[in-house]
Amino acid sequence: MIKKQTPTAKKAAASKARAVSKPAASVSQPTTGNAAQGNEIRFYRANEKPYGAFSNLFPRPVEFEGRTYATSEHAYQAGKAAKPAVRDWILSAPTPSLAAMAAHGLYVWDVVPNWADIKFDRMRAVLRAKFEQHADLKALLISTGEARLVEAGTVNNAVNRLWGEVEGKGQNMLGVMLMELRSEYAKPEPKAKRAAPKVLSASSDKPANRSQRKAVVV
């Protein structure tokens, strides 16, 4: 004997069938380039909006050490060459990426001897100049809040692993320096200190008794 399904049983079976046929939610995969993921912002190419502006290749002039450079990459790499002629050769490159490639290819004797010791301080100074001189870039940096900033490289080499990350691995020094600068901008400006009140004698006439002198605070 076959039992007939009640209306309630039919409704439950239909609901179960819909749940089985519904496709599973897709899992988001990590990406590179200009993307925001949770509390992390990744950038790489200078032409990606809006965070491509964080790249040193972003086309925005920077005044540094008494000279105007086409990009912050130019300003940074200018400090690497030991000889002025080599520096000018690097800076004559038509694009910042080519300037960087030229600087990375220098022989050891063409690089200033203490470059390893000064390069991070120079980059910090160049970044400060870049964001101090362009209010829109400074506002963009501040707008990232507490997000972790990452230069997400696409080519796995020593340079990309130093200044950024490749497949999640690297020191990400550019991102770290940008977050340091952002933290400074986020701090409230100190209030001006009030001048201490001056104490003057109540009268120019010298009292007979010192205990009778009165003070006036102005």
Side-chain angles (χ1 to χ4, degrees):
M1 180 177 179
I2 300 175
K3 293 183 179 180
K4 293 183 178 181
Q5 285 186 323
T6 63
T8 302
K10 290 181 179 180
K11 186 176 181 181
S15 177
K16 184 176 181 181
R18 285 195 300 270
V20 172
S21 62
K22 186 178 180 180
S26 60
V27 179
S28 60
Q29 298 295 327
T31 60
T32 57
N34 189 26
Q37 298 181 23
N39 203 35
E40 184 175 275
I41 292 174
R42 298 183 179 186
F43 62 93
Y44 186 60
R45 295 179 178 84
N47 61 353
E48 295 167 336
K49 296 182 180 180
Y51 301 117
F54 295 158
S55 168
N56 282 328
L57 308 185
F58 186 70
R60 193 66 70 90
V62 177
E63 293 182 14
F64 189 70
E65 296 180 338
R67 181 170 180 171
T68 300
Y69 297 93
T71 67
S72 54
E73 185 69 26
H74 285 85
Y76 170 74
Q77 298 294 356
K80 189 174 185 178
K83 299 177 182 179
V86 176
R87 180 192 61 225
D88 293 341
W89 174 74
I90 292 173
L91 298 179
S92 67
T95 66
S97 59
L98 290 176
M101 290 175 63
H104 294 154
L106 293 180
Y107 291 111
V108 175
W109 52 82
D110 283 326
V111 179
V112 291
N114 61 339
W115 180 244
D117 299 324
I118 67 172
K119 64 181 180 180
F120 291 139
D121 287 340
R122 183 175 182 86
M123 181 63 83
R124 287 186 173 92
V126 168
L127 291 175
R128 184 180 298 278
K130 173 182 176 179
F131 288 93
E132 288 288 342
Q133 293 167 22
H134 300 286
D136 58 330
L137 302 186
K138 182 177 181 179
L140 178 65
L141 181 61
I142 295 173
S143 72
T144 60
E146 296 296 323
R148 180 172 182 263
L149 305 180
V150 182
E151 184 180 49
T154 56
V155 179
N156 193 350
N157 57 38
V159 174
N160 284 343
R161 291 194 304 273
L162 173 63
W163 294 108
E165 292 182 357
V166 181
E167 298 178 354
K169 296 180 180 180
Q171 297 183 53
N172 189 36
M173 289 304 300
L174 179 58
V176 169
M177 292 179 186
L178 289 173
M179 290 185 284
E180 289 175 352
L181 191 58
R182 181 184 65 189
S183 296
E184 290 186 30
Y185 291 149
K187 293 179 181 178
E189 295 183 3
K191 295 181 180 179
K193 294 182 179 180
R194 296 181 62 182
K198 297 179 180 179
V199 179
L200 303 177
S201 60
S203 172
S204 60
D205 296 332
K206 185 177 180 179
N209 190 342
R210 290 187 177 181
S211 63
Q212 296 177 357
R213 290 181 180 176
K214 297 181 178 179
V216 179
V217 179
V218 295

